[in-house]
C-alpha cells in the first residue's frame, strides 16, 4: 500500500506559456500508469477519512443544498453505515454536523452517480505507478436499477451492499493481491479494440479483468477459499463491473495533471445542483455551471420529464480520453443510449477540436488507431463553442436508473474557469 | 450425442424458381442453431471414420496431387497417429492405399489450413438444433507458428498435439458436457459487437466461451479434476481458440442449406491445387478453380514469394456471413492482416451485392446493426464480377504461419458451378 492523495504539482516559471504548461499536463496524463493493487474499506485507505463521513459526487455543498435523489442517497448511506437508525435521525445528523458530508474528489475518489461512500465500503485502490499518487472507487452494486448510487435505499439495496462488503470485495481483493496488482492501462487499451469505451460500455473490460485474476481465482478455489465461485459468477453476469476500475484508473491519472499555468481540464463532475470542472492549473477549485445538456434513450416505461440529476463523477473517464471521447470504439452503444453510428463517430471526431493531443495508449480502430482525443483545453472549448460529450446513465426522480444517454458540459463552467485562470495568471 | 452427417435436402418441384430455392436455402441457413455439445475423438464421432484415415482440406484429390506443405501435413498426421513410424513408411502407406486420405467436408468436418484429422484427434461436436445435423472441427494447436495444420511436424508439434489429446480436450469436453452444451450463435453475435469477425479475430469469442464454461470449470477445480487450471490458463492465452468452434458452427449451419435448384454457395475451401466451392443446389460436388487471389501482411522476416497454399476450409465462416463478410466489426484486424478501416468497410459493404440476404442474428454495429451479408449467390458473383472476400492466415513454403491477409475466391469456380447448374437444371 502506498499512501493516498493527489500528486503534487510541478511549479513552472511565470515565463512558461500556457501551451507549454498544457503540453506538460498532457504529457503527465499520457504517462500515467494506473494499477489496481488492493481492495480495502474506504475508512482505512481514503486519506483523512473519518468514521462519521459520507462522501458524495460533485463540487462540495452544504447539507441543505442536496436535494432529490442525491439527498436520498446521502440518507441511505448514513443508514447503511449505521450512523443513524432512522431517516429522521440521519437528517438531523447531517443538519447538526454530527454526520459529515465530503466531496469524493477531495479524498482522491470518484463517485458513480450520487457516488455515496461510507467508512465500511470497500474501494479499489489504484496506484499511478508513473507519479506515485493513488485513486479510489467503490464497487458496482449490480444490475438491479434500484441502487444506492441512484438514490434508492431499501432492504434489497441494503442486502446487495452488504454482499459487496462481505463476499465480493474480500474475494476480488484477495485475487488482486495474489495477482501482484493488475495494470489497467493496457487492459483498457485492449477493451477499446473490443467494443468498449469503458464508461457506458464495459463488457469486454469486465471479462478481460476476470481473465487477469483467473490464475489467482483458480488457486483460491483449489484451496477452498469461501465465496470464490459465487463471486466469479457474479462478475461474469455484470458487464458494468469494470466501470469502477476505469473510474479509479482515470482519477489516479487525472490527478497527476496538476501543472501551474495549464488550462487543461483535470476533472468533470456534477451534483444535483449543476455541472463543475477543475483545471490542471487551478488545483482543487471547482468551476460550476448549470446541469448538463442531455440527449438520451429511456428504458421502456419511462419519460423525459422523469430525468433528474443526482450527481455523477464518471466523466472522469472522458477527462482522460475515454467514454464519450472513445465512443467510436463502442458503436453498439447505439442500442443502449440512442444515436446512430454516424452521430457517435462525428461526436467522437469533434472532440479532437477541443483537446490538446491524442492519447498515446488509448486508440480507435475505426480512426486507423489514432489516439483518442485527450486533455480538454478550456480555451478551445470557449473558442470553438464545442462542449465535452459524456456517456452516462440517467437517473429517475423516484430513484433508480431509467435510461442512458449523452450529456454535454455547459459553457458556464469553462467561462468561470477561464475567468479565474486570468485572475490568477493574468490574460495570456 | 446425435449422429453426424449432412442434413438431407428438401426436394423442390421443378417449377420452383431459383429465387425461391435460394430464399429457402437462405432461410435454412439463417435458422440454423449450432450448439457445441461434446468433445470426442474423430474416430468415434465422424460418420464412417476409419482408423487408417487421414483427412485434409479442399476438394478430394489423389495422393500424388498433394504437394508442398499439404503433403507434409498428411505425412505428419500419419506419423502422429502411429500409422507409420517413418516418413518413408508414411509415403509408401499413402501411395499403396494402406493409409487412406479423405476430404474433411465429406465427414461433416472442416479443416483449418491443411486441416489434418486423424482418428485419435479430439473434435468439437456441434449440433445444429434447428435441423438435426452435426458439424465437427478439431482443436487449435496453439500460438506457435509451427503447427501440423501449417505443414510442420517435429517433436514440438507432436508434443503440443498430444497435450491437446490428453489434457486440453478432456477438460474442455467435460466442461461442455457439464454445461449442457453451449449455444454458439448468440455467443458469436455478441462477439461481433466486441471486435471479432470469428475468422481471423476471435479474441472476444474465446473469452466469452471461457466465461460460458466457467461455472462448470469452477466446479471441476473444486472437485480436484486434473488439468483444469492448466487448461483454463491455456485458453486464456489463446485468442484464436474459438476459431475451431466458429468453423464447426458454420459447417453445421451451411450443411443445412442443401436445397434443390439453389445457386447459393454452401461451402468454400482450397487445397494446394486450388480453390473450390459447392452450391446448395448441387449437393456434394466441388467446382474448382485456381488458387485464390491474395492481399496480405507478412510477419517480420518473411517475403511475398514464400506464400504457399496448403489448404484451408475456414472460409466456411464467410459462407455463413462471418469472417470477411463481417470485417467491419473487427477493424483492429488492420494491424494483423493489413488494410485500412476504409478498405475493410468498403470490402464488407461490397459483399451485400453478391449475397442473397442479411443475416438475422449476426449484425454489424457500424452499419446500424444491419445483418451481415449472407448467402453468396453464384449468379450475382458472375454478374457483378465481385468475388467473396475471406480473412485467412498465410502459410510459408517451409511450413508455419508467416502472415495473414485477405483472399478472393477465383471466378473460375463460379463459372464451373453455374455451368454444372445449367446442365442439371437447364438454363433459367
Amino acid at each position: 500500500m502506498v499512501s493516498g492523495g493527489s500528486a503534487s504539482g510541478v511549479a513552472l516559471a511565470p515565463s512558461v506559456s500556457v501551451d507549454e504548461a498544457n503540453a506538460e499536463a498532457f504529457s503527465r496524463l499520457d504517462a500515467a500508469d494506473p494499477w489496481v493493487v488492493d481492495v480495502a474499506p474506504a475508512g482505512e485507505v481514503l486519506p483523512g477519512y473519518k468514521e462519521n463521513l459520507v462522501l458524495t459526487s460533485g463540487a462540495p455543498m452544504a447539507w441543505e443544498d442536496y436535494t432529490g435523489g442525491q439527498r436520498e442517497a446521502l440518507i441511505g448511506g448514513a443508514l447503511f453505515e449505521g450512523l443513524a437508525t432512522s431517516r429522521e435521525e440521519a437528517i438531523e445528523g447531517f443538519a447538526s454536523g454530527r454526520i459529515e458530508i465530503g466531496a469524493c474528489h477531495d479524498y482522491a475518489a470518484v463517485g458513480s452517480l450520487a457516488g455515496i461512500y461510507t467508512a465500511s465500503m470497500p474501494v479499489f485502490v489504484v496506484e499511478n505507478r508513473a507519479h506515485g499518487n493513488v485513486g479510489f472507487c467503490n464497487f458496482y452494486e449490480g444490475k438491479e436499477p434500484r441502487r444506492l448510487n441512484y438514490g434508492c435505499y431499501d432492504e434489497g439495496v441494503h442486502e446487495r451492499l452488504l454482499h459487496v462488503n462481505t463476499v465480493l470485495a474480500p474475494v476480488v481483493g484477495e485475487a488482486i493481491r495474489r495477482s501482484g496488482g493488475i495494470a489497467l492501462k493496457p487492459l483498457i487499451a485492449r477493451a477499446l479494440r473490443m467494443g468498449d469505451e469503458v464508461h457506458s460500455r464495459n463488457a469486454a473490460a469486465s471479462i478481460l479483468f476476470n481473465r487477469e485474476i483467473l490464475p489467482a481465482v483458480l488457486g483460491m478455489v483449489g484451496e477452498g477459499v469461501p465465496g470464490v465461485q459465487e463471486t466469479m459468477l457474479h462478475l461474469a453476469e455484470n458487464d458494468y463491473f469494470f466501470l469502477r476500475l476505469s473510474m479509479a484508473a482515470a482519477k489516479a491519472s487525472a490527478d497527476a495533471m496538476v501543472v501551474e499555468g495549464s488550462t487543461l481540464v483535470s476533472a468533470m463532475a456534477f451534483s444535483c445542483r449543476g455541472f463543475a470542472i477543475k483545471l490542471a492549473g487551478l488545483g482543487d477549485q471547482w468551476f460550476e455551471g448549470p446541469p448538463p445538456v442531455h440527449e438520451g434513450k429511456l428504458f421502456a416505461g419511462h419519460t423525459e420529464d422523469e430525468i433528474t440529476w443526482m450527481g455523477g463523477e464518471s466523466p472522469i473517464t472522458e477527462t482522460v480520453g475515454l467514454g464519450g471521447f472513445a465512443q467510436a470504439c463502442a458503436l453498439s452503444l447505439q442500442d443502449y443510449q440512442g444515436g446512430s453510428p454516424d452521430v457517435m463517430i462525428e461526436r467522437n471526431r469533434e472532440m479532437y477540436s477541443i483537446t490538446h493531443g491524442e492519447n498515446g495508449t488509448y486508440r480507435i480502430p475505426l480512426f486507423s488507431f489514432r489516439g483518442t482525443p485527450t486533455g480538454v483545453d478550456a480555451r478551445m472549448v470557449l473558442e470553438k463553442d464545442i462542449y465535452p460529450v459524456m456517456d452516462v446513465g440517467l437517473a429517475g426522480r423516484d430513484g433508480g436508473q431509467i435510461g442512458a444517454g449523452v450529456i454535454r458540459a455547459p459553457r458556464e463552467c469553462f467561462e468561470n474557469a477561464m475567468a479565474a485562470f486570468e485572475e490568477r495568471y493574468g490574460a495570456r
Side-chain angles (χ1 to χ4, degrees), chain A:
Chain A
M1 273 298 309
V2 300
S3 65
S6 299
S8 56
V10 177
L12 298 186
S15 63
V16 170
S17 73
V18 175
D19 288 342
E20 286 169 309
N22 286 350
E24 169 69 10
F26 174 85
S27 153
R28 289 177 67 83
L29 174 57
D30 206 37
D33 184 18
W35 286 62
V36 59
V37 296
D38 203 359
V39 169
E44 291 177 19
V45 289
L46 264 58
Y49 211 90
K50 301 179 195 171
E51 287 303 312
N52 67 335
L53 181 63
V54 182
L55 301 186
T56 190
S57 292
M61 302 193 295
W63 158 247
E64 51 275 18
D65 293 333
Y66 290 100
T67 56
Q70 192 162 13
R71 185 172 186 268
E72 292 307 311
L74 282 164
I75 294 168
L79 291 169
F80 173 71
E81 193 63 27
L83 299 174
T85 54
S86 72
R87 196 181 149 72
E88 295 64 37
E89 198 184 324
I91 292 169
E92 176 279 320
F94 284 120
S96 70
R98 184 179 61 75
I99 309 176
E100 295 184 46
I101 301 176
C104 304
H105 266 282
D106 290 338
Y107 293 82
V110 271
S112 170
L113 266 286
I116 300 299
Y117 284 75
T118 62
S120 72
M121 284 187 185
V123 298
F124 292 109
V125 180
V126 173
E127 189 184 313
N128 174 355
R129 292 196 172 170
H131 304 101
N133 63 304
V134 178
F136 305 96
C137 194
N138 55 7
F139 274 57
Y140 176 58
E141 295 170 53
K143 280 184 288 194
E144 168 66 44
R146 290 183 63 78
R147 312 199 276 277
L148 179 61
N149 73 326
Y150 273 84
C152 303
Y153 189 71
D154 58 22
E155 198 48 44
V157 173
H158 177 86
E159 272 172 28
R160 285 186 292 276
L161 286 170
L162 216 54
H163 191 249
V164 168
N165 283 16
T166 56
V167 181
L168 302 187
V171 168
V172 173
E174 176 68 14
I176 289 170
R177 288 186 295 270
R178 287 189 185 206
S179 305
I182 291 159
L184 296 174
K185 209 163 182 178
L187 191 158
I188 291 170
R190 189 140 202 249
L192 297 186
R193 292 174 169 230
M194 297 173 74
D196 283 1
E197 38 70 280
V198 297
H199 187 170
S200 279
R201 188 167 164 97
N202 292 278
S206 295
I207 43 177
L208 287 172
F209 175 77
N210 296 353
R211 180 162 80 175
E212 288 294 322
I213 60 172
L214 189 64
V217 161
L218 293 173
M220 289 160 69
V221 174
E223 290 168 29
V225 173
V228 182
Q229 269 130 308
E230 185 182 350
T231 298
M232 288 308 286
L233 298 182
H234 172 91
L235 297 193
E237 280 169 12
N238 282 279
D239 281 353
Y240 246 106
F241 178 82
F242 188 81
L243 171 60
R244 306 310 182 89
L245 281 157
S246 163
M247 287 171 62
K251 173 64 174 163
S253 303
D255 271 357
M257 287 173 76
V258 179
V259 173
E260 286 289 315
S262 169
T263 57
L264 297 196
V265 172
S266 57
M268 299 191 282
F270 57 98
S271 66
C272 54
R273 186 165 72 189
F275 203 85
I277 66 169
K278 290 183 182 182
L279 294 194
L282 293 174
D284 284 335
Q285 200 181 343
W286 286 103
F287 302 99
E288 299 188 54
V293 179
H294 74 278
E295 192 183 315
K297 184 174 173 181
L298 298 172
F299 300 158
H302 292 284
T303 53
E304 278 283 317
D305 62 305
E306 288 178 62
I307 296 175
T308 187
W309 304 110
M310 55 175 73
E313 297 181 335
S314 50
I316 194 70
T317 57
E318 278 81 8
T319 307
V320 304
L322 295 167
F325 288 54
Q327 62 181 267
C329 296
L331 297 180
S332 64
L333 274 179
Q334 66 195 280
D335 245 13
Y336 176 64
Q337 68 181 22
S340 69
D342 286 350
V343 166
M344 295 180 73
I345 291 164
E346 185 43 40
R347 263 193 215 124
N348 200 147
R349 274 198 210 284
E350 205 182 37
M351 294 301 103
Y352 287 104
S353 62
I354 57 168
T355 42
H356 180 87
E358 299 176 12
N359 205 288
T361 306
Y362 303 140
R363 295 174 181 280
I364 301 175
L366 182 63
F367 297 165
S368 301
F369 289 121
R370 187 177 181 186
T372 64
T374 299
V376 174
D377 185 341
R379 297 177 306 173
M380 294 163 84
V381 170
L382 292 176
E383 185 192 320
K384 303 278 172 59
D385 202 25
I386 291 172
Y387 303 92
V389 293
M390 290 152 271
D391 298 332
V392 299
L394 296 173
R397 66 179 165 225
D398 300 326
Q401 185 176 3
I402 62 165
V406 167
I407 60 172
R408 295 263 189 180
R411 181 172 182 90
E412 290 84 342
C413 298
F414 300 90
E415 285 174 342
N416 293 337
M418 285 309 299
F421 187 87
E422 289 181 10
E423 194 170 312
R424 162 86 185 271
Y425 294 102
R428 296 211 182 191

